[in-house]
Amino acid sequence: LRALAEIDSLTCLQRRHQSVKEFNRLLKLADRQQTTLCFAILDLDRFKHVNDFYGHDVGDQVLKTLGDYLRKTFRGEDVLARWGGEEFVVGLYGISKELAVQRLSAVLQAFNQHAFLGTKKHLFHVSFSGGVSEYPKNGKDIQTLYRSADRALYSAKAAGRNQILSS
C-alpha cells in the first residue's frame, strides 16, 4: 500500500508527497554539508495536443517513456518525481545549476530522438522544457526553489520550448 501511495504507477517515479519529503531531507543535508541542491521542473511541450490528436493511451506512453529516460539517466539518490499531469521534478544533490542544465539537456536531446507511434502508424516526436534553480543561491526551501525554477521554465517556454534554462 505504501508503494501505491508513494510511487506513480504509470511512470514508476515518486509522487509529489513522497518527493517533498526527499527534497526536505536533501535540503537539510545540503545545509549541513554546505553544498548545492538543484531543483528542476520539466514540462512536456504541447502535451494536450498529443492527448487530443493521438489519444490518452499514447499520451500515457509518452509520460511513461519520459519516466524511463529519467530513471535510466540519474543516480539513485536523486529525486525523480511526477508532480501531476505532464509536470516532472528532478532534484540533483551536490551539483551546480550549470551541470544540472547540461545533464537535463542531454536527457532532452535523447528524448527528442525517441519516435512514438501514433494513429495509423504515424511516427512523431515530443520535447519538453525545463527550469532549474539551485540551493542556496535561488532559495532555501522547496517553495522558493520551485518558484525560481518555474520562472526559468516559463522563460524556456516563451523562448520557443524544447530547452532547459536556469534561474
Side-chain angles (χ1 to χ4, degrees):
L1 289 175
R2 177 179 286 165
L4 289 174
E6 295 175 353
I7 304 296
D8 177 63
S9 61
L10 181 63
T11 62
C12 298
L13 301 178
Q14 292 179 349
R15 292 183 189 266
R16 184 182 191 120
H17 180 73
Q18 181 62 26
S19 68
V20 167
K21 287 181 186 178
E22 286 297 309
F23 272 116
N24 282 325
R25 183 184 66 76
L26 288 176
L27 281 169
K28 288 177 187 173
L29 186 62
D31 184 54
R32 261 196 325 270
Q33 294 188 353
Q34 303 268 305
T35 192
T36 59
L37 172 64
C38 287
F39 182 99
I41 304 171
L42 308 177
D43 188 77
L44 288 161
D45 295 328
R46 296 182 173 93
F47 188 67
K48 183 181 181 328
H49 173 76
V50 172
N51 278 335
D52 290 348
F53 192 78
Y54 298 109
H56 290 273
D57 288 342
V58 174
D60 285 352
Q61 187 58 45
V62 171
L63 294 168
K64 181 186 180 315
T65 301
L66 180 54
D68 292 344
Y69 272 83
L70 294 173
R71 277 192 332 282
K72 289 175 185 174
T73 302
F74 294 104
R75 307 168 293 188
E77 64 266 22
D78 294 327
V79 178
L80 303 171
R82 180 177 176 209
W83 274 22
E86 68 269 19
E87 184 179 73
F88 295 78
V89 296
V90 178
L92 303 169
Y93 181 80
I95 68 170
S96 67
K97 267 194 297 195
E98 294 76 21
L99 186 53
V101 168
Q102 286 176 11
R103 287 186 180 173
L104 289 163
S105 294
V107 174
L108 173 59
Q109 185 177 17
F111 187 72
N112 280 341
Q113 300 303 311
H114 189 95
F116 293 95
L117 185 60
T119 53
K120 298 180 184 174
K121 301 194 187 241
H122 176 259
L123 294 178
F124 68 98
H125 299 271
V126 179
S127 65
F128 62 84
S129 300
V132 180
S133 61
E134 180 186 299
Y135 168 89
K137 289 179 187 175
N138 302 118
K140 296 188 177 188
D141 58 49
I142 292 173
Q143 293 80 16
T144 308
L145 291 168
Y146 180 89
R147 285 193 299 271
S148 180
D150 194 50
R151 284 191 298 273
L153 170 63
Y154 181 80
S155 295
K157 294 274 190 184
R161 297 178 175 83
N162 195 26
Q163 60 189 309
I164 310 295
L165 297 179
S166 65
S167 53

